[in-house]
Amino acid sequence: MTRSPFFPKFSDLPAELPIFPLAGAVVMPGVQLPLNIFETRYLNLVSDALASDHLLGMIQPTSETLMDEVPALHRIGCAGRITSYSETSDGRVILVLTGICRFQIKREIESHKGYRRAAVDWERFAADCHDNAETIADREGFLTSLKSYCKLRGVEVPWDDIEKMADADLTNLLCAHLPLSPEDKQALIETISTGERAALMRGLLDMASASSMYVAEHRH
């Protein structure tokens, strides 16, 4: 991942973050995530972020409390920087968030203008802010599993681009954008090293492919 000159240094990451809880939506370092913001509290969050450091923390609610008025949050998320945005005539903000570094919530702090905030710790994920030369142990096998999964699930992938990507960038991109369950995405973003995350992802892809084949066979 080539870091943007607009990204903060690791030592400059803030001790507190505004939090955007959203199931199934994760961002990873170097990965872009488009967001459509329309709720007043999150419009407030975006406005405040744009007025300061452009940072916000994406994190998933726990599945058990998803329907609660104030759902519990997983402890691990990823901060992103608002790298582009536009305002619509009907009062929405369309933005692109680019992942910077994962974090661990230490505790929630007082909410502000309706949105949640947290004191966070970055230390476990310091490598997210540095060049990552980690590799996938069996890249060819990993891509074979990915191709099988995408074929069975009807996922369109730009294979020429995928083949050229560095291993860390590839696993981060797939973690954010493959149609995996929120629980699977959470397990992936909590896995620190690229090699271990790729191994976990391959296992998840193989299980999903096997499940799809089983369902297809029993329809006939």
Side-chain angles (χ1 to χ4, degrees):
M1 176 184 72
T2 301
R3 287 186 65 81
S4 164
F6 296 106
F7 286 4
K9 297 177 182 178
F10 180 76
S11 58
D12 293 333
L13 290 170
E16 299 174 357
L17 273 179
I19 297 297
F20 190 167
L22 187 59
V26 301
V27 69
M28 287 289 285
V31 176
Q32 293 189 328
L33 178 70
L35 292 170
N36 178 16
I37 310 298
F38 54 88
E39 288 188 54
T40 299
R41 55 183 167 171
Y42 297 126
L43 290 170
N44 291 338
L45 185 160
V46 169
S47 178
D48 289 348
L50 289 171
S52 57
D53 55 15
H54 290 215
L55 299 182
L56 62 90
M58 293 297 301
I59 198 159
Q60 296 195 111
T62 63
S63 56
E64 298 83 0
T65 64
L66 185 59
M67 302 310 294
D68 292 357
E69 184 175 349
V70 182
L73 302 176
H74 284 287
R75 307 311 295 172
I76 305 298
C78 186
R81 188 177 193 276
I82 300 171
T83 47
S84 70
Y85 77 99
S86 61
E87 301 168 347
T88 68
S89 59
D90 60 356
R92 293 175 294 121
V93 171
I94 310 298
L95 63 83
V96 173
L97 193 71
T98 302
I100 291 181
C101 185
R102 287 170 288 173
F103 61 85
Q104 180 169 339
I105 289 182
K106 295 196 292 187
R107 64 185 181 280
E108 282 204 59
I109 58 180
E110 185 178 0
S111 61
H112 181 66
K113 297 182 182 178
Y115 61 83
R116 299 167 75 172
R117 298 188 301 153
V120 299
D121 180 65
W122 309 91
E123 288 299 326
R124 284 181 60 195
F125 305 103
D128 287 352
C129 287
H130 306 291
D131 291 336
N132 189 341
E134 291 185 75
T135 59
I136 299 171
D138 178 10
R139 182 174 172 119
E140 184 177 347
F142 179 87
L143 290 176
T144 297
S145 294
L146 177 63
K147 288 174 181 177
S148 296
Y149 172 87
C150 291
K151 182 178 180 180
L152 286 166
R153 293 298 181 97
V155 179
E156 294 187 8
V157 172
W159 293 110
D160 289 344
D161 295 335
I162 290 291
E163 295 283 355
K164 299 172 186 175
M165 293 184 71
D167 289 356
D169 293 342
L170 175 59
T171 54
N172 283 349
L173 178 72
L174 296 175
C175 178
H177 290 300
L178 283 179
L180 299 168
S181 71
E183 292 79 11
D184 288 347
K185 286 179 178 282
Q186 190 63 35
L188 289 166
I189 68 172
E190 292 187 10
T191 303
I192 296 176
S193 77
T194 294
E196 291 177 350
R197 192 158 59 254
L200 173 58
M201 184 180 294
R202 185 177 180 184
L204 294 171
L205 297 178
D206 287 344
M207 286 191 294
S209 295
S211 176
S212 294
M213 292 175 67
Y214 177 84
V215 170
E217 288 173 358
H218 284 74
R219 285 176 176 168
H220 299 289

